[in-house]
Amino acid sequence: MKVRTRSSAIIGALFLAATLTLPLTLTTASAEEPSAQVVLTEVARAQGPSAGAAGPDGKVWIAERSGTVRVLGDYGLGDPVLDISDETTTDGERGLLGVAFDPEFAHFYISYTDLEGTSTIDEFAVADGELQPETRRTVLTQEQPYPNHNGGDIKFGPDGYLYIAFGDGGSGGDPHGNGQNLDTLLGKILRIDPTGGEPYAIPSDNPFVAEEGAKDEIWAYGLRNPWRFSFDAGTGDLLIGDVGQSEWEEIDWAPASSKGGENYGWSSMEGNHPFRGGTEPANHVPPVHEYDRSGLGCSVTGGFVYRGEAIEGLAGSYVYSDYCDGTLRTLRIENGAVTEEGDLGVQGGEVISFVEAGDGELYVLAIGGAVSRLDPA
């Protein structure tokens, strides 16, 4: 590991961005359509940007899949403040896949696959906005049977706990049945208290605490490859983009009042549809939205509910995309139901992730290198 103080292609994917200045067009069932217009403004280039987080002093920190983390400034990305490129590998879907700060910016967390492919969550103390390399410790690990479906996203929830997303372990069709198996962390979203114990503590109100045959860390299950989840900064609701097998992409939703334990269905279900003759579980929580692969893409990239101030007409809309399509799309969700679907009319390339800045504005990361901000037109 190499850590440096702040100072001034990972996979052979072509950056497919078309024009970034098209106006916002929303289709809605309501009588009055939003009037907002947006553009994507490229603010930096990175080497395979994979994730990001709002950091100290209003800065945005950007992770590069090969193992580096750089801070976004007025003139692009600075030199790496963290470099674990000799500790991770980018074969398959591996690499540095997630970063997060705790709510006080006292600790920084990274989610990556090590050289053996094991998913690893490490912690660093932060002082005066700088990582303290000597404080690094491993919080949690999970072996991965295959080099795909690692998940790897991490976020702190409104409750101050760390949430971790893992895919079903990979291959195809969930050959080990991990999605519906509560005795593994694969195919799940976890909820832990990283500083409450050694190496972490489990919140006493996690849904499967003390349940025989179930892992205490589990918050929700039945996920194939949760590729980016987020909490609505306005409501605390949880939204998950879960990549489908071959036909259906889905977005899952849980209210802020949820006590956890949701079963999103995989691998008995793909979206709202039984998978390979499976039977719908009695406790299946269907997606709030799904789309097929006939025209909208092939791999959902979950985003954020927009709570910034720059684009008034977008407030309250969930912004997401698809890695294979790149169009930025929106949903309005009320009481667990989609009331409006929209197309922002801008193309972000091979969108791998979104980042929510401290002021609520959104950044779009394309695996080909573009770091772009969503701005009013």
Side-chain angles (χ1 to χ4, degrees):
M1 179 197 72
K2 298 179 280 293
V3 179
R4 293 191 279 272
T5 57
R6 191 181 314 165
S7 60
S8 53
I10 60 173
I11 62 175
L14 295 175
F15 179 52
L16 300 179
T19 176
L20 299 182
T21 58
L22 296 176
L24 165 69
T25 303
L26 286 177
T27 58
T28 174
S30 62
E32 185 176 347
E33 293 188 2
S35 58
Q37 293 185 322
V38 301
V39 295
L40 277 176
T41 304
E42 185 173 312
V43 296
R45 299 291 299 184
Q47 295 296 315
S50 56
D57 303 320
K59 301 291 187 180
V60 171
W61 292 39
I62 300 294
E64 297 172 313
R65 185 173 166 229
S66 60
T68 50
V69 177
R70 303 164 70 189
V71 179
L72 182 63
D74 294 336
Y75 302 100
L77 293 170
D79 292 337
V81 296
L82 176 67
D83 185 348
I84 62 162
S85 55
D86 58 351
E87 300 178 47
T88 188
T89 175
T90 57
D91 66 309
E93 297 172 5
R94 295 168 171 166
L96 177 56
L97 303 175
V99 292
F101 284 93
D102 66 17
E104 294 78 31
F105 301 110
H107 298 91
F108 180 66
Y109 295 84
I110 60 174
S111 170
Y112 68 100
T113 50
D114 69 12
L115 295 175
E116 285 71 47
T118 297
S119 290
T120 305
I121 311 297
D122 280 1
E123 174 196 89
F124 296 84
V126 179
D128 298 323
E130 302 287 346
L131 300 185
Q132 306 301 301
E134 70 281 1
T135 68
R136 182 181 180 181
R137 70 183 187 95
T138 295
V139 176
L140 182 146
T141 61
Q142 170 61 51
E143 292 184 1
Q144 295 282 353
Y146 303 99
N148 61 333
H149 301 184
N150 299 150
D153 201 9
I154 53 176
K155 297 282 192 306
F156 276 86
D159 53 14
Y161 293 129
L162 179 63
Y163 290 73
I164 302 165
F166 286 145
D168 65 7
S171 186
D174 195 11
H176 302 293
N178 291 325
Q180 292 296 305
N181 181 5
L182 293 176
D183 194 27
T184 176
L185 301 183
L186 296 172
K188 313 297 189 297
I189 286 185
L190 316 180
R191 178 185 186 238
I192 65 171
D193 179 356
T195 58
E198 183 59 44
Y200 58 88
I202 296 172
S204 60
D205 59 348
N206 270 11
F208 300 105
V209 167
E211 181 172 320
E212 186 175 356
K215 296 290 188 183
D216 293 346
E217 294 91 340
I218 296 172
W219 179 254
Y221 67 109
L223 294 159
R224 182 176 179 272
N225 191 28
W227 195 254
R228 305 318 184 206
F229 69 95
S230 65
F231 293 94
D232 182 343
T235 67
D237 297 345
L238 171 65
L239 292 121
I240 309 163
D242 196 24
V243 179
Q245 173 70 34
S246 56
E247 296 185 34
W248 297 95
E249 302 298 307
E250 71 180 82
I251 293 170
D252 298 305
W253 174 90
S257 60
S258 169
K259 304 300 182 183
E262 287 86 358
N263 177 6
Y264 294 113
W266 179 256
S267 57
S268 298
M269 305 290 290
E270 184 181 10
N272 286 302
H273 314 272
F275 178 72
R276 294 181 180 174
T279 300
E280 182 175 14
N283 64 342
H284 176 223
V285 177
V288 71
H289 180 68
E290 67 174 13
Y291 61 91
D292 64 43
R293 294 185 170 188
S294 61
L296 293 182
C298 72
S299 181
V300 66
T301 299
F304 290 85
V305 174
Y306 179 75
R307 297 296 180 185
E309 297 182 355
I311 312 170
E312 183 177 352
L314 198 58
S317 290
Y318 177 68
V319 182
Y320 69 102
S321 189
D322 186 288
Y323 178 81
C324 303
D325 172 74
T327 302
L328 270 60
R329 304 182 188 278
T330 63
L331 301 173
R332 286 191 181 271
I333 301 170
E334 296 180 11
N335 299 319
V338 172
T339 60
E340 183 182 292
E341 298 180 37
D343 180 340
L344 291 181
V346 291
Q347 221 281 350
E350 292 167 315
V351 177
I352 197 74
S353 194
F354 291 81
V355 185
E356 183 180 46
D359 59 3
E361 302 305 325
L362 297 184
Y363 292 78
V364 181
L365 308 183
I367 198 66
V371 178
S372 302
R373 186 180 60 239
L374 192 62
D375 287 336

